Amino acid sequence: MAAASTRHNIIEIADDLFYRGGFEATSFADIAVKASISRGNFYYYFKTKDEILNAVIDRRLRRTRTMLDGWEAQAPKPRERIVAFIELLIANRAPIMAHGCPVGTLCAELAKLDHVHQERAAEIFGLFAHWLEEQFRALGADEAAREWALHVLAWSQGVASLATALKDGDFIRREVADITTWLDGRIASLSN
Amino acid sequence: MAAASTRHNIIEIADDLFYRGGFEATSFADIAVKASISRGNFYYYFKTKDEILNAVIDRRLRRTRTMLDGWEAQAPKPRERIVAFIELLIANRAPIMAHGCPVGTLCAELAKLDHVHQERAAEIFGLFAHWLEEQFRALGADEAAREWALHVLAWSQGVASLATALKDGDFIRREVADITTWLDGRIASLSN
DNA sequence: GCATGATTTGGACAATTGTCCTAATCATGC
DNA sequence: GCATGATTAGGACAATTGTCCAAATCATGC
C-alpha cells in the first residue's frame, strides 16, 4: 500500500477508536491490530502517541471545516444552516448516547490529562463557535451574535452529555425542538 | 489508624484523583502514595479498581443527597433552591474550567470504557434531576416539571463542558445569568 | 505478658504500556 | 536484474499496570 494511504488509514482508525474508547484507553496495539499493520510499521509513521493525537485533531478540524462549508453551500439561509448544526444531535444520536460528543469528550479528557494538545482540540469548538457567530451575524444579530453562538454550542453539549448518561434518545429530540424554538424566537426578536 | 478512617481516607483521595485526572489514568499507586499507605495495604481495603470506583460513586451519591437536603433546609422557596443549584457553576468555576463537571466527566468516561458502573454513576444525575423536578413541581409546574428539570441539568452540563474547553470564566457568569432569567420567565408563565 | 485477630508492609506476578531498533521485504529507476 | 530507498515485520526494552501473597507489626482482651 502507498505510504500516504497507510498513514491516512491509521489516522482514520485512531480517530474512530479515540472517539469510541477514549484517547488514553486506546493503545498503539489496538490501532495497529485494527489497521492490520505491525506495531513496528506503526512507529514508521508516528513516533509518539501525541503525534497520532495531533494528526487526529487535524483530521477532525479539516472535516469540521468541510462540513461547515457544506452546510453553507447547501443552505442559503442562515437559519437553515444553524438548524443543520442543531440536527446533528438527532442524526448522530445513537453514537452520542453510546460515546458522547466527539469534540466535548475529547476536550474533557485532554483537560483531565492536562495534555499539551488540549488547546488544539478546543479549536474544533472554536470553528463551530465562529461559524455559528457568522450565521447569527448574517441574520442581523451584531452584538449578540457571539453570545448566541456560544449558547447554541453549550446547549448542544449539554444535551449530548445528558443523553450519554441517561441513554435517552427522546430527550435529544425534545431538546432539539426547544433549541429550534429558541432560535426562531431570537430571529423574530431581530425584526422588531 | 482505625480501619474505618483509613478506608474513608482512601475513598476521599480516590474521589479527588478520579475527578482531577480521570478514573483510568489514576492508578492504585497514585492513590496509595497520596494516602501515604503501601500498595499492599490498599489491597486490604479494595480488591479491585472497580471496588474503589464503586465506593467513590457511593460517596458522591451520599454527598449529593446531603447537598440537596442542605439547600432544602436553607432555602424555603423552590426558586432560591434552583438558583442555588445553578450557582454551583459559579462557586466551582475554577475546578470546572480545569477538570469539568465531576458528574458529567465521570459518566462520559465510564460510557467510553463501557464500564459496568456507568448506570450507577448516572444515578447522580438522577438525584439532581429528581430533586429539580420536585422543586419545579412545588412551583406549580406539573406536566413541565420533569422537562424543565432536565433542561436546567443539560444547560448546566453544556456550560461546564464549554467552559472547560474554552477556559472562559466570564462565559460561565453570563450563562448562569441567562439560566436564572429563563427560570424567572418560566415561573412568571405559571401564574398566568 | 501472652494470644488472637486486625492492620500494614514490601515485594512478586504476568500482562500491557509507549518507545525504539534491526533486519527483512518491497517498489522503482536505471 | 541490480542498486537504492521506502516500507514492513517482529521483537527488545524498561516502566507501569492491576492483582495477589506471605510475613511482619500492631492493638486489644484476658
Side-chain angles (χ1 to χ4, degrees):
Chain A
M1 201 189 304
S5 109
T6 301
R7 196 187 146 86
H8 179 270
N9 191 238
I10 292 174
I11 296 173
E12 195 173 298
I13 283 165
D15 191 345
D16 183 53
L17 291 180
F18 287 174
Y19 172 48
R20 301 222 310 255
F23 169 65
E24 267 259 308
T26 302
S27 69
F28 273 47
D30 292 334
I31 305 173
V33 165
K34 198 96 186 283
S36 302
I37 62 169
S38 64
R39 276 163 302 142
N41 192 16
F42 195 110
Y43 182 72
Y44 177 73
Y45 292 97
F46 299 98
K47 305 295 178 196
T48 68
K49 211 181 174 187
D50 288 0
E51 271 185 40
I52 322 171
L53 175 60
N54 202 44
V56 166
I57 295 175
D58 271 345
R59 175 182 147 96
R60 293 194 185 181
L61 281 167
R62 254 193 328 273
R63 287 168 62 92
T64 301
R65 282 193 206 96
T66 304
M67 185 173 63
L68 296 176
D69 288 348
W71 287 339
E72 271 193 75
Q74 282 161 33
K77 296 183 185 173
R79 181 197 176 275
E80 317 312 322
R81 294 172 179 173
I82 299 172
V83 167
F85 165 77
I86 299 167
E87 288 182 345
L88 260 190
L89 284 168
I90 293 178
N92 297 331
R93 70 184 194 283
I96 285 174
M97 283 189 288
H99 318 105
C101 164
V103 191
T105 53
L106 180 64
C107 287
E109 184 178 3
L110 296 185
K112 284 203 195 277
L113 297 176
D114 204 12
H115 199 284
V116 278
H117 288 338
Q118 66 178 303
E119 284 88 3
R120 275 182 57 66
E123 272 182 45
I124 309 176
F125 269 140
L127 287 182
F128 281 112
H130 182 256
W131 184 86
L132 284 167
E133 188 181 345
E134 272 190 352
Q135 305 315 313
F136 279 113
R137 216 173 287 277
L139 283 169
D142 294 328
E143 307 155 33
R146 175 82 184 161
E147 188 191 327
W148 292 357
L150 289 183
H151 180 67
V152 169
L153 206 48
W155 199 343
S156 314
Q157 278 301 300
V159 172
S161 182
L162 219 58
T164 307
L166 306 180
K167 312 285 182 200
D168 185 347
D170 288 337
F171 168 71
I172 297 182
R173 289 197 174 285
R174 286 198 306 271
E175 288 287 318
V176 164
D178 284 353
I179 303 177
T180 310
T181 302
W182 171 87
L183 173 64
D184 288 332
R186 293 295 106 179
I187 295 176
S189 78
L190 288 170
S191 45
N192 294 348
Chain B
M1 200 188 306
S5 111
T6 301
R7 197 188 144 87
H8 179 269
N9 190 238
I10 292 174
I11 296 172
E12 194 173 300
I13 284 166
D15 191 345
D16 183 53
L17 291 179
F18 286 174
Y19 172 47
R20 302 222 310 256
F23 169 66
E24 267 259 308
T26 301
S27 68
F28 273 47
D30 293 333
I31 304 172
V33 166
K34 199 94 186 286
S36 301
I37 60 169
S38 64
R39 276 163 302 143
N41 193 14
F42 195 110
Y43 181 72
Y44 178 72
Y45 292 97
F46 299 98
K47 304 297 178 198
T48 69
K49 210 180 175 186
D50 288 0
E51 271 185 39
I52 322 172
L53 175 62
N54 202 44
V56 166
I57 294 175
D58 271 345
R59 175 183 149 94
R60 294 195 184 181
L61 281 168
R62 251 192 331 270
R63 287 167 62 90
T64 301
R65 282 193 206 97
T66 303
M67 184 173 64
L68 296 177
D69 288 348
W71 288 339
E72 271 194 75
Q74 282 161 34
K77 295 182 185 173
R79 180 198 175 272
E80 317 311 324
R81 294 173 179 173
I82 299 172
V83 168
F85 166 78
I86 298 167
E87 287 182 346
L88 259 190
L89 283 168
I90 293 179
N92 297 330
R93 72 184 192 284
I96 285 173
M97 283 189 289
H99 318 106
C101 164
V103 191
T105 52
L106 180 64
C107 286
E109 184 179 1
L110 296 186
K112 285 205 195 276
L113 297 176
D114 204 12
H115 199 283
V116 276
H117 288 338
Q118 65 178 304
E119 285 89 2
R120 276 183 55 66
E123 272 182 45
I124 310 177
F125 269 139
L127 287 182
F128 281 111
H130 182 256
W131 183 87
L132 284 168
E133 189 181 344
E134 272 190 352
Q135 305 314 315
F136 279 114
R137 216 173 288 277
L139 283 169
D142 295 328
E143 306 155 35
R146 174 84 186 159
E147 188 190 328
W148 290 358
L150 289 182
H151 180 66
V152 169
L153 206 49
W155 200 341
S156 314
Q157 277 301 300
V159 171
S161 181
L162 219 58
T164 307
L166 306 181
K167 312 285 182 199
D168 186 346
D170 288 337
F171 168 70
I172 296 183
R173 289 197 174 285
R174 287 198 305 272
E175 288 286 319
V176 163
D178 284 354
I179 303 177
T180 311
T181 303
W182 172 86
L183 173 63
D184 288 332
R186 292 296 107 179
I187 294 175
S189 79
L190 288 171
S191 46
N192 294 349

